[in-house]
Amino acid sequence: MSDVVSVRKEGAIAVVTIDNPPVNALGHAVRSGTFEAMAGLRDDDTVAAVVLACAGRTFSAGADITEFGKPPQAPGLGELVDQIEAMPKPVVAALHGTTLGGGLELALGCHYRIAAPGTRVGLPEVKLGILPGAGGTQRLPRIIGPVEAVKFIVSGEFVAADKALSLGIIDSLADGDLTEAAIAFAGKVVEEGRPVVRIRDREDKVAPFRDDSSAFDAAAAKATARARGLEAPFACVEAVRGSFELPFEEGIKKEREGFLKLVAGDQSKAQRHLFFAEREAAKVTDMPKGTRPRPVAKVGVIGAGTMGGGISMNFANVGIPVTIVETSQEALDRGFATIRKNYGISVSRGRMSEDEMERRMSFLAGSTDMNDLADADLIIEAVFEEMDVKKTIFRKLDEIAKPGAVLASNTSYLDINEIAAETSRPGSVLGMHFFSPANVMRLLEIVRGAKTDMDVLATAIDIGRKIKKVPVVVGVCFGFVGNRMLKARSLETEQLLLEGATPQQVDQALVAFGFPMGPFQMGDLAGLDIGWRIRKAMGSDSDGGKAEIADALCEMGRFGQKTGRGFYIYEEGSRGGTPDPEVEALIVETAKKHGIERREISDEEIVERLVYPMISEGARILDEGIAQRPGDVDVVWVFGYGFPIGKGGPMHYADRIGLKHIRDRLAYYAERSGNEKLKPAPLLETLAEDGSGFAAHAKAKAA
Ligand code: 3HC
């Protein structure tokens, strides 16, 4: 037998076990081992039925993603699924853990499926920019119908075992030991002479759609409504459509073609890059093996404002009690009311029950006395961005926090080392930078100070994962990775206006690039007054390039959405802004004042002048070791700022289009404008000269 596939027999039932940790990915060795095992059992007259199971924490979580892009090795997964389906004796899949992608497709080739309670199933291929390529788009609709299937496949969401049972994806839930239950189930199938069920032969769920596909079309349109710019969701729809428009084998052929096209495309490469980058970003290169996180059973949050409230919700969501401290009862009440309102929105949309909301609220306590944080294992400070205030808080925390408590600041740009130096325990201090809205945005920048202890870093990563964030470890500098690059993006935003673009043209160019919104829409949403106040306090250039227009708008009381006016006008209750001639007049007047002759600016120029300076700043960040790897920068921008996933993040995108091109364009814009800040970063220069890329450079450095 192979190293990763074994066969044992219990009477007339054979059990084939795949054992390929950590997630039983279906790499070549697994496929060929299983193929061989099944072929042997097919011809073995002493075997009446087969159970297919997986060892370890999960049934297979799918194809081995690392094999994509390499020459295929037979047997392919589709071939294996077909072989199992064609077995003349019943094959029962025993599912547990996360049965995903090719893992679920393998199970759908089996004639029956039994699952341990707690199992989750899904076809998440779409999240890797591909479609299920081993029959999933043809077999699943034959069980649950094309309408449910298109929702399932386009969302890529996981479904719990009880729902999978009610949908018919699984036939039975196991009681007690899974393999024993599967053997008993197989025995019963044999004893009762139940048929070998081949899903490919089922027509009842798909046939009705041949005459009228309107329900499918409506479900497909809804499922892809937010998939702008991505190819895979639409390809998934077309593949599922094949399940009722085409005979099975032709549907499979169409699925295969779609899969091969996507897997070779730039978007899937970008999304696969992000899959691995997301997992790598939390790994700290110099963290000794076996570093253990400190336990976190109780959390303290200082500040019940927008950030503090959102941060607290993350912990309540996973059942970790939080004490929120504010300076007054009134501020506390306001904060709690906002949290309740936010949960209430989920309740009103049917995504959460009233009981669940109350359960989560019960994990939140308020206090106006910081001494109440004495027993917290982790304390996160989330007050406004003023160094002196933060220092006072950390001095106080040093007095009251228990030994071993992790002390974190949610600062978005201040120096963590300076804050840590206020305490007698700088090793316990770090940054945990959440992104607004903190209960929604998945990015968590973990800012490692010069003296941060390894186990403190490990604690922040571990708890970050527990609250379902994507932790990325970054170093100390002004704005860390995300905001520092955002600042670089701001270098040219207003300049583009003065030279001839309109706010809506700039925003639309970035939306067409794939961002959810452009810089002016973002400014209006976040509040233009935030940057304005910082600029007033710290000097005009502190949060980016010139912000003359934004400052003028703020002087007029136009702070963005919250005042109904900013770069755009917002009708009462509307989040979509309309262009304002008054703003255009202000832009034209300001340009005139500076003697700038306005001209037509292409969308291409807008994208280059906004995105390339970010990439250049990303190169500086890598050079300084603020980010460990280019993938970390990508993860920050995708999960924190909505950089389009189909482009894989700024550094991956840069590698794809070529660093030489970016270097040349930046050099051109720097020369034309005389703006030194637009000059390409030294690392970008060097790599462009060498014909290299950020990923190749990181790989060479790691070797
Ligand atoms: N192929 C290769 N490696 C994989 C993998 C896969 N399908 N799934 C997970 N891994 C690796 C991870 O990279 C990670 O490696 P590391 O330890 O070196 O960083 C390790 O397995 C453990 O993964 P996680 O850290 O993600 O572990 P979790 O327990 O948090 O999550 C999981 C487990 C839910 C299974 C998650 O790993 C996951 O979502 N995996 C991907 C599932 C997927 O997308 N399947 C579809 C694959 S495409 C396919 O099947 C095509 C087919 O239709 C033809």
Side-chain angles (χ1 to χ4, degrees):
M1 272 295 90
S2 90
D3 288 348
V4 287
V5 180
S6 62
V7 178
R8 70 184 166 92
K9 290 182 193 163
E10 288 217 6
I13 312 293
V15 181
V16 177
T17 306
I18 297 171
D19 188 1
N20 183 31
V23 298
N24 292 307
L26 300 163
H28 176 246
V30 172
R31 295 195 307 274
S32 58
T34 312
F35 197 88
E36 230 175 85
M38 288 292 172
L41 296 170
R42 181 185 52 211
D43 302 333
D44 185 340
D45 290 340
T46 65
V47 172
V50 181
V51 166
L52 177 62
C54 288
R57 69 201 224 205
T58 184
F59 192 82
S60 172
D64 184 340
I65 305 166
T66 61
E67 281 187 356
F68 292 168
K70 296 182 185 154
Q73 280 180 289
L77 188 55
E79 211 179 316
L80 174 62
V81 174
D82 286 350
Q83 180 219 31
I84 294 175
E85 193 175 50
M87 289 278 282
K89 47 191 97 178
V91 182
V92 177
L95 314 182
H96 72 296
T98 41
T99 298
L100 303 175
L104 180 57
E105 293 175 296
L106 188 66
L108 294 177
C110 298
H111 309 121
Y112 295 95
R113 286 154 296 282
I114 176 167
T119 305
R120 290 184 303 155
V121 303
L123 292 172
E125 283 88 341
V126 72
K127 295 182 179 167
L128 298 169
I130 51 175
L131 52 79
T137 66
Q138 305 306 297
R139 289 191 178 87
L140 191 68
R142 283 175 163 76
I143 306 179
I144 66 176
V147 167
E148 285 304 321
V150 82
K151 288 191 223 164
F152 190 98
I153 292 171
V154 173
S155 74
E157 297 300 338
F158 302 173
V159 162
D162 47 355
K163 172 112 190 268
L165 182 67
S166 69
L167 283 169
I169 299 172
I170 57 175
D171 303 291
S172 173
L173 275 179
D175 239 354
D177 181 80
L178 173 65
T179 316
E180 291 309 316
I183 293 170
F185 186 94
K188 222 162 135 204
V189 168
V190 173
E191 198 183 297
E192 291 172 4
R194 284 164 69 179
V196 161
V197 184
R198 297 194 175 94
I199 296 172
R200 67 164 65 211
D201 297 334
R202 279 187 63 176
E203 282 291 294
D204 54 313
K205 295 278 183 180
V206 288
F209 289 83
R210 276 183 203 129
D211 299 329
D212 180 7
S213 67
S214 50
F216 173 80
D217 294 335
K222 200 166 167 207
T224 51
R226 303 183 72 182
R228 186 177 59 86
L230 293 173
E231 293 156 12
F234 299 95
C236 286
V237 168
E238 288 319 303
V240 176
R241 188 187 299 282
S243 71
F244 58 86
E245 279 190 348
L246 300 170
F248 182 83
E249 282 302 339
E250 277 181 48
I252 288 283
K253 200 167 148 243
K254 183 175 169 189
E255 175 195 271
R256 190 83 209 134
E257 285 164 5
F259 176 85
L260 290 175
K261 185 163 170 244
L262 288 173
V263 86
D266 287 332
Q267 290 196 351
S268 174
K269 280 183 201 150
Q271 288 177 258
R272 271 143 46 201
H273 156 72
L274 286 170
F275 176 83
F276 290 112
E278 178 186 338
R279 281 154 182 82
E280 214 176 4
K283 291 179 189 155
V284 181
T285 39
D286 58 338
M287 184 177 285
K289 261 205 157 76
T291 305
R292 296 183 69 83
R294 299 179 187 176
V296 175
K298 271 189 129 179
V299 171
V301 171
I302 304 177
T306 316
M307 284 314 283
I311 292 169
S312 303
M313 288 171 78
N314 291 310
F315 293 97
N317 291 347
V318 297
I320 298 178
V322 183
T323 301
I324 310 176
V325 174
E326 255 299 350
T327 44
S328 71
Q329 189 58 42
E330 201 195 344
L332 261 185
D333 292 346
R334 239 191 344 256
F336 271 74
T338 306
I339 295 174
R340 187 169 277 283
K341 192 178 112 211
N342 285 338
Y343 278 135
I345 294 172
S346 300
V347 173
S348 69
R349 292 188 180 154
R351 288 202 299 253
M352 191 187 288
S353 67
E354 286 270 355
D355 285 354
E356 182 57 21
M357 167 165 107
E358 292 309 329
R359 200 183 69 83
R360 295 190 191 192
M361 288 299 297
S362 73
F363 289 110
L364 302 172
S367 167
T368 50
D369 182 359
M370 224 146 87
N371 289 306
D372 286 343
L373 302 183
D375 62 347
D377 303 298
L378 164 68
I379 302 173
I380 303 173
E381 164 276 310
V383 305
F384 46 91
E385 293 285 59
E386 227 168 78
M387 187 51 115
D388 287 343
V389 180
K390 299 210 187 248
K391 282 183 173 174
T392 311
I393 288 175
F394 273 79
R395 274 198 301 273
K396 174 92 177 144
L397 283 180
D398 195 24
E399 282 166 27
I400 58 165
K402 69 180 187 186
V406 172
L407 310 181
S409 171
N410 175 51
T411 179
S412 47
Y413 58 88
L414 294 175
D415 187 338
I416 293 293
N417 294 329
E418 219 181 306
I419 295 172
E422 292 299 309
T423 70
S424 62
R425 39 176 143 176
S428 292
V429 178
L430 44 52
M432 286 178 76
H433 180 207
F434 291 80
F435 289 72
S436 188
N439 53 319
V440 178
M441 296 301 285
R442 294 198 53 217
L443 177 64
L444 175 62
E445 273 186 333
I446 296 179
V447 191
R448 175 182 180 177
K451 296 193 174 154
T452 305
D453 289 336
M454 278 298 177
D455 63 338
V456 168
L457 205 51
T459 308
I461 296 167
D462 184 62
I463 197 75
R465 283 235 178 88
K466 284 199 178 120
I467 60 172
K468 303 192 170 63
K469 297 290 172 199
V470 179
V472 183
V473 177
V474 301
V476 176
C477 66
F478 187 88
F480 317 123
V481 171
N483 282 343
R484 178 167 160 183
M485 284 169 70
L486 184 64
K487 181 175 160 180
R489 193 179 82 174
S490 316
L491 277 175
E492 291 275 82
T493 39
E494 285 214 357
Q495 190 60 25
L496 282 163
L497 299 185
L498 298 182
E499 288 177 26
T502 58
Q504 52 276 22
Q505 192 199 349
V506 173
D507 285 340
Q508 274 160 18
L510 277 207
V511 169
F513 181 80
F515 277 100
M517 62 178 90
F520 299 111
Q521 291 164 322
M522 197 171 122
D524 274 2
L525 176 68
L528 299 174
D529 53 321
I530 300 174
W532 178 54
R533 282 185 221 287
I534 295 175
R535 284 189 294 275
K536 281 218 282 202
M538 303 183 64
S540 62
D541 200 21
S542 59
D543 85 329
K546 298 183 200 101
E548 211 175 334
I549 310 285
D551 287 349
L553 292 175
C554 288
E555 300 290 349
M556 291 155 75
R558 301 177 63 131
F559 293 165
Q561 286 195 18
K562 58 183 160 192
T563 57
R565 274 176 158 67
F567 277 99
Y568 297 92
I569 299 178
Y570 299 87
E571 297 305 335
E572 187 71 33
S574 160
R575 287 173 158 254
T578 50
D580 183 353
E582 223 178 287
V583 174
E584 269 199 67
L586 172 71
I587 294 167
V588 170
E589 195 187 305
T590 314
K592 211 184 262 166
K593 197 173 88 191
H594 292 293
I596 300 171
E597 200 165 320
R598 299 183 84 237
R599 63 183 167 91
E600 225 13 65
I601 297 186
S602 71
D603 288 356
E604 191 189 0
E605 178 174 340
I606 292 173
V607 168
E608 287 187 348
R609 286 174 64 183
L610 296 185
V611 176
Y612 293 2
M614 270 175 60
I615 292 168
S616 191
E617 197 61 35
R620 285 194 186 89
I621 282 170
L622 287 173
D623 220 6
E624 293 167 23
I626 296 297
Q628 298 181 96
R629 348 171 158 80
D632 295 8
V633 177
D634 291 334
V635 171
V636 165
W637 267 79
V638 164
F639 289 98
Y641 300 83
F643 196 97
I645 52 170
K647 291 190 166 67
M651 310 318 270
H652 179 87
Y653 172 69
D655 277 354
R656 198 190 95 210
I657 56 176
L659 300 192
K660 191 169 172 320
H661 171 75
I662 293 171
R663 189 262 320 258
D664 291 347
R665 296 306 290 160
L666 280 173
Y668 164 75
Y669 289 124
E671 161 108 29
R672 192 181 72 177
S673 64
N675 186 351
E676 291 278 311
K677 288 186 181 162
L678 290 175
K679 277 193 167 164
L683 179 65
L684 176 56
E685 281 277 10
T686 317
L687 296 180
E689 214 40 54
D690 295 351
S692 180
F694 293 120
H697 170 67
K699 215 169 154 189
K701 232 171 76 177

